[in-house]
């Protein structure tokens, strides 16, 4: 089927399988395709920046590093442009025609599990409704998610480095084949433009507010500017990556409110930056209100996990023990791959190490609070003491946890007053073997 400069190829078998499912299934949360395309654009910008920092000079060195999304309602297209690394003809075919490693098999297994847990597995497996957010992006199939919403996709790309400045366009309807040909377009001057022709049932993504809200939700902390129809969307800096000395209390509070939708400022904020034994940054808050972790809020705990400022999982419960469930916040590490699966997260050694560091730091933080600001500590205890008491099961840290426990005792002036075990013992008559409270 070769025309001059144009080559049409079959997708590899594993890609055809994945595409068949993506194009024929019903998904909730289809907006996730935006997260995937934006995170690919962000990766491409990161790779470019890395090589520039190493001393290489890219094409069009004055172009800003950014991501621009534009909507054309008449043409029914959504376009995502980045000024990143770009791809040659060979790379377009290789990167967008195959799936790395065992990605497709894991994807199919993940899809089956997701469909089972949704209780939707009927006779026709391919039609099972599933939550796209749970299955896409973990298996290196992120790009293909665009075919949930598009029936034709054009990827035009010009490499940032190398002698050959020719742009090429990759085109596919997501069925059996794709083509790659040379292209005379002026744009992109450097990097990649992805134009998605939206399906009739996906025209919601021609609404600016719809696209903006998806970007705010999933990609708010991407480290490059993201514009939608010319307007900057991700104005939140990744505060946890900033040096502590440059962040104001007000910024910490605003971030907390954006994160939790809590109207009230937090009781306390803790900013952690660690390089060893693991690298991570964290911003942890103690809310100034309590939750019912033994009832309605049973599942509403955990920290937001980011890898290189891209959100990997909301409310990850491997990062903190249950007795610190009152903590709200984010953890960001350089050491996790973006496409890590949730199963892998569950026994992840890295997360366990981060967990241990967070426990130690939070205990010292609370110790300092108890020593220096008794009023604040009392408030902490009244709000969160009930769940913190579970820390008694944390054997390696039991001494420290028990020193932080507080009780009301009969010698105290009123029912709100609190005492620690140490104070109680110091006051107790010699030889007393029993606690009275
Ligand atoms: P993953 O991002 O996990 O590698 P994807 O399916 O999302 O998997 O993307 C496949 C590959 O296509 C990427 O690894 C990258 O090499 C290439 N790619 C996708 N989008 C872009 C882009 N905007 N710029 C440069 N390369 C890209
Ligand atoms: Mg990707």
């Amino acid at each position: 089927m070769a025309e001059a400069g144009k080559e049409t190829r079959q997708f590899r078998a594993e890609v055809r399988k994945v595409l068949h499912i993506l194009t024929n299934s019903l998904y909730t949360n289809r907006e996730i395709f935006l997260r995937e395309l934006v995170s690919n654009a962000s990766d491409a910008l990161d790779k470019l920046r890395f090589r520039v920092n190493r001393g290489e000079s890219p094409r069009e060195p004055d172009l800003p590093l950014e991501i621009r999304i534009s909507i054309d309602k008449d043409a029914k297209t959504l376009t995502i442009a980045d000024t990143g690394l770009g791809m040659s003809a060979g790379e377009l075919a290789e990167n967008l025609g195959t799936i790395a490693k065992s990605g497709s098999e894991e994807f199919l297994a993940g899809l089956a599990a997701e469909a089972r847990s949704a209780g939707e597995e009927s006779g026709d497996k391919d039609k099972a409704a599933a939550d796209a957010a749970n299955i896409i992006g973990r298996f290196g199939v992120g790009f293909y998610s665009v075919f949930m919403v598009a029936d034709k996709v054009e990827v035009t790309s010009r490499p940032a480095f190398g002698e050959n400045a020719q742009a090429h366009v990759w085109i596919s309807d997501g069925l059996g084949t794709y083509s790659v040909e040379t292209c005379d377009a002026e744009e992109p001057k450097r990097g990649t433009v992805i134009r998605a022709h939206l399906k009739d049932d996906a025209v919601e993504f021609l609404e600016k507010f719809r696209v903006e809200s998806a970007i705010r939700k999933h990609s708010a902390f991407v480290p490059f500017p993201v514009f939608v129809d010319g307007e900057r969307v991700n104005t939140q800096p990744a505060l946890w990556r900033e040096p502590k000395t440059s962040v104001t209390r007000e910024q910490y509070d605003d971030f907390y409110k954006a994160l939790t939708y809590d109207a009230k400022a937090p009781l306390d904020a803790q900013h952690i930056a660690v390089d060893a034994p693991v690298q991570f940054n964290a911003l942890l808050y103690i809310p100034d209100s309590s939750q019912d972790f033994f009832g309605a809020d049973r599942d509403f705990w955990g920290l937001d996990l980011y890898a290189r400022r891209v959100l990997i999982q909301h409310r990850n419960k491997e990062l903190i023990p249950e007795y610190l469930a009152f903590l709200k916040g984010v953890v960001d590490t350089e050491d996790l791959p973006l496409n890590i699966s949730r199963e892998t997260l569950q026994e992840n050694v890295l997360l366990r190490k981060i967990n241990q560091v967070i426990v130690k730091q939070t205990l010292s933080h609370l110790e300092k609070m108890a020593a220096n600001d008794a009023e604040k500590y009392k408030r902490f205890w009244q709000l969160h003491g009930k769940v913190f008491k579970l820390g008694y099961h944390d054997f390696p840290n039991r001494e420290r946890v028990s020193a932080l426990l507080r009780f009301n005792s009969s010698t105290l002036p009123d029912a709100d007053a609190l005492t620690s075990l140490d104070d109680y013992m110091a006051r107790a008559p010699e030889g007393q073997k029993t606690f009275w409270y």
Side-chain angles (χ1 to χ4, degrees):
M1 271 264 302
E3 293 162 33
K6 173 170 173 175
E7 212 185 319
T8 301
R9 299 193 204 179
Q10 289 268 331
F11 282 112
R12 295 259 298 270
E14 71 275 10
V15 180
R16 282 209 303 277
K17 244 193 231 172
V18 167
L19 280 170
H20 180 75
I21 289 170
L22 287 172
T23 50
N24 289 291
S25 303
L26 295 167
Y27 291 99
T28 56
N29 242 331
R30 287 193 301 179
E31 67 185 30
I32 219 74
F33 83 94
L34 279 166
R35 177 189 77 183
E36 295 303 320
L37 297 187
V38 167
S39 93
N40 285 348
S42 173
D43 285 350
L45 288 162
D46 254 333
K47 287 176 192 161
L48 175 101
R49 186 163 61 182
F50 181 77
R51 287 175 62 169
V52 169
N53 288 345
R54 263 191 343 196
E56 293 185 61
S57 27
R59 213 171 305 294
E60 301 283 342
D62 296 333
L63 277 183
L65 302 182
E66 62 189 20
I67 301 167
R68 289 187 178 268
I69 301 177
S70 40
I71 295 166
D72 183 334
K73 285 196 171 174
D74 296 328
K76 291 195 193 163
T77 59
L78 182 82
T79 304
I80 297 176
D82 69 69
T83 50
L85 190 64
M87 288 176 274
S88 64
E91 288 163 340
L92 280 166
E94 173 65 25
N95 296 340
L96 308 182
T98 58
I99 295 175
K101 289 168 261 135
S102 59
S104 62
E105 269 157 52
E106 286 185 28
F107 171 77
L108 294 171
L111 180 72
E114 172 66 22
R116 259 197 312 281
S117 74
E120 295 277 358
E121 205 174 37
S122 59
D124 188 352
K125 274 202 201 79
D126 294 351
K127 292 279 181 196
D131 185 345
N134 286 339
I135 52 168
I136 290 162
R138 318 191 327 241
F139 308 114
V141 302
F143 168 76
Y144 300 109
S145 66
V146 68
F147 287 104
M148 290 191 296
V149 297
D151 48 23
K152 180 181 173 188
V153 176
E154 298 159 90
V155 181
T156 312
S157 201
R158 193 187 311 273
F161 298 99
E163 293 297 303
N164 191 350
Q166 177 65 51
H168 288 85
V169 58
W170 177 103
I171 303 178
S172 178
D173 56 9
L175 298 175
T177 62
Y178 63 92
S179 65
V180 178
E181 61 190 299
T182 58
C183 160
D184 296 331
E186 297 212 341
E187 297 293 330
K189 293 195 177 63
R190 178 186 82 207
T192 304
V193 176
I194 299 180
R195 172 167 287 117
H197 297 258
L198 297 179
K199 296 178 185 178
D200 286 338
D201 69 359
V203 288
E204 63 188 286
F205 297 108
L206 295 173
E207 301 300 332
K208 190 176 173 211
F209 78 90
R210 182 74 184 81
V211 174
E212 282 175 345
S213 76
I215 300 291
R216 280 206 189 89
K217 182 162 163 206
H218 301 289
S219 312
F221 303 108
V222 165
F224 301 97
V226 180
F227 299 87
V228 178
D229 282 352
E231 217 172 302
R232 174 96 189 247
V233 180
N234 62 334
T235 47
Q236 287 263 25
L239 214 54
W240 59 84
R241 297 282 195 119
E242 307 282 312
K244 288 179 214 182
T245 47
S246 76
V247 185
T248 63
R249 175 74 209 205
E250 194 185 359
Q251 280 177 301
Y252 281 132
D253 289 358
D254 285 347
F255 181 77
Y256 168 81
K257 290 176 188 169
L259 182 82
T260 58
Y261 302 107
D262 192 344
K264 218 167 165 194
L267 181 69
D268 193 72
Q270 201 187 340
H271 191 161
I272 304 177
V274 177
D275 284 318
V278 279
Q279 187 285 327
F280 76 97
N281 290 56
L283 210 44
L284 305 178
Y285 294 94
I286 303 178
D288 196 17
S289 53
S290 59
Q291 278 183 267
D292 178 15
F293 295 112
F294 301 94
D297 298 326
R298 204 172 304 121
D299 205 40
F300 286 91
W301 65 281
L303 303 177
D304 287 353
L305 174 63
Y306 283 78
R308 279 158 278 139
R309 300 183 224 212
V310 174
L311 180 65
I312 301 297
Q313 196 182 26
H314 268 303
R315 292 201 201 109
N316 177 290
K317 296 183 175 57
E318 313 296 317
L319 289 166
I320 43 174
E322 210 171 351
Y323 73 93
L324 299 185
F326 57 85
L327 288 177
K328 302 284 175 203
V330 302
V331 170
D332 188 346
T333 173
E334 299 275 329
D335 299 340
L336 271 186
L338 278 181
N339 56 359
I340 189 156
S341 77
R342 201 167 288 182
E343 292 68 39
T344 321
L345 280 178
Q346 262 169 21
E347 299 118 38
N348 195 282
V349 182
L350 183 79
L351 299 197
R352 206 152 51 225
K353 285 187 190 155
I354 294 177
N355 179 313
Q356 284 161 6
V357 176
I358 289 178
V359 169
K360 295 246 179 317
Q361 298 241 354
T362 302
L363 292 178
S364 13
H365 193 76
L366 290 172
E367 284 158 0
K368 275 185 215 132
M369 193 196 293
N372 304 330
D373 191 342
E375 270 311 300
K376 193 169 178 179
Y377 191 79
K378 184 176 165 189
R379 176 102 184 119
F380 157 73
W381 187 260
Q382 285 164 342
L383 292 168
H384 308 295
K386 194 170 165 196
V387 68
F388 185 78
K389 279 182 198 161
L390 296 177
Y392 207 56
H393 297 297
D394 180 356
F395 207 77
N397 293 304
R398 208 167 62 162
E399 298 282 312
R400 296 181 71 186
V401 170
S402 59
L404 286 164
L405 299 179
R406 294 292 179 271
F407 305 91
N408 187 248
S409 109
S410 48
T411 57
L412 293 173
D414 61 72
D416 270 354
L418 296 168
T419 179
S420 67
L421 289 176
D422 283 351
D423 289 346
Y424 185 92
M425 289 315 287
R427 221 177 24 240
E430 210 164 321
Q432 178 178 320
K433 289 269 185 321
T434 322
F435 291 125
W436 303 97
Y437 71 96

